[in-house]
Amino acid sequence: MPRKIAAGNWKMNGMQSTLSELQRLEDKHGDADIAILICPPFTLISACEDTPFDIGGQDCHAAEAGAHTGDISAEMLADVGASYVLVGHSERRTDHGETDALIAAKSKAAYDAGLIAVICIGETLDEREAGTTLDVIDAQLAGSVPDTADALTTVIAYEPVWAIGTGKVPTTDQIAEVHAHIRARLQDRFDDGSEFSLLYGGSVKGSNAADIFGVPHVNGALVGGASLTTADFSPIIAALEAA
Ligand code: 13P
């Protein structure tokens, strides 16, 4: 069975004072039997060391080390206690022009450092309206998931770009169609394609989480805004535990 993962991507939010929120989360969910992954900004990763949660970076460089001012390597993330890293988030693809090939290279860097890569994919609104969603997903899966991926080292997050931070959520039928498609592609390509965890991301809230987690091949969520407070994240975690 794919593992259930409730993942919070804090994006460019969070100060040292925010860490008290993690203590509140630990009080409620410290002994959860699903994986809870927190991806704080780089500046807070080492301060998260003592939490019972899995910790991830939000990006890494494809190289191990060297002259890359402002970048962070996968090995550096592992060194401060991270066990996951997000790669290919749509905000990286858009803000930093990241390509599928670069995302594949970053994923390989993650594997080399012993990190699990959460590879993010998803279509824009124009692509959905043009009816090309599944083609986009195919191209992103083919280009950004390395051939060396397996279910232990790789999680796929489907995040339709138009659903991120907008309050717009695909219908459960739309999520079902894409997740079933991703699962089928992974099964075609990898012996353990049935075991990869597939996360949905984009405006997940306590109010819609149970419906989303009821969709076949949805094994968890990658949550942005609603992961910033325990009050908002806790009902999502509870819905995943109950799913
Ligand atoms: P929101 O949950 O704020 O829509 O963000 C989703 C996301 O981009 C998580 O990576």
Side-chain angles (χ1 to χ4, degrees):
M1 281 285 287
R3 51 191 190 290
K4 291 185 187 179
I5 305 174
N9 173 11
W10 286 7
K11 309 192 179 185
M12 199 172 70
N13 298 289
M15 299 289 178
Q16 297 200 58
S17 55
T18 315
L19 294 170
S20 55
E21 207 51 58
L22 276 187
Q23 184 58 53
R24 271 190 281 279
L25 196 66
E26 180 174 345
D27 293 344
K28 289 194 93 150
H29 298 286
D31 55 2
D33 56 6
I34 61 169
I36 298 176
L37 167 63
I38 306 292
C39 300
F42 293 135
T43 48
L44 294 181
I45 289 180
S46 57
C48 292
E49 207 170 32
D50 292 335
T51 74
F53 308 123
D54 292 323
I55 301 299
Q58 297 175 13
D59 180 47
C60 66
H61 197 278
E64 249 176 61
H68 302 289
T69 302
D71 280 313
I72 304 274
S73 73
E75 214 173 327
M76 289 169 173
L77 293 173
D79 186 49
V80 289
S83 48
Y84 286 76
V85 62
L86 309 181
V87 292
H89 192 281
S90 72
E91 288 148 17
R92 300 288 315 174
R93 291 177 185 261
T94 304
D95 294 356
H96 300 270
E98 296 197 0
T99 62
D100 287 328
L102 179 64
I103 293 155
K106 289 182 177 206
S107 302
K108 287 183 199 158
Y111 305 155
D112 288 345
L115 299 180
I116 298 170
V118 180
I119 302 176
C120 305
I121 59 174
E123 82 287 0
T124 64
L125 189 57
D126 283 352
E127 289 163 342
R128 175 157 285 275
E129 287 177 349
T132 57
T133 296
L134 298 183
D135 299 330
V136 170
I137 295 298
D138 280 346
Q140 291 176 334
L141 285 174
S144 52
V145 181
D147 289 334
T148 50
D150 64 40
L152 293 178
T153 59
T154 306
V155 172
I156 305 295
Y158 168 56
E159 299 203 296
V161 178
W162 51 275
I164 294 176
T166 58
K168 290 186 194 141
V169 185
T171 64
T172 49
D173 283 351
Q174 288 172 321
I175 297 175
E177 180 189 34
V178 176
H179 275 247
H181 186 81
I182 295 170
R183 177 69 74 211
R185 283 288 176 270
L186 293 172
Q187 285 169 330
D188 287 346
R189 199 171 149 199
F190 300 103
D191 290 345
D192 62 353
S194 319
E195 302 297 315
F196 284 59
S197 294
L198 307 186
L199 311 185
Y200 167 79
S203 297
V204 177
K205 308 266 180 277
S207 54
N208 59 25
D211 285 345
I212 293 171
F213 297 144
V215 173
H217 305 296
V218 174
N219 311 116
L222 180 55
V223 184
S227 72
L228 294 174
T229 65
T230 299
D232 289 336
F233 199 26
S234 176
I236 297 172
I237 293 170
L240 185 58
E241 282 184 301

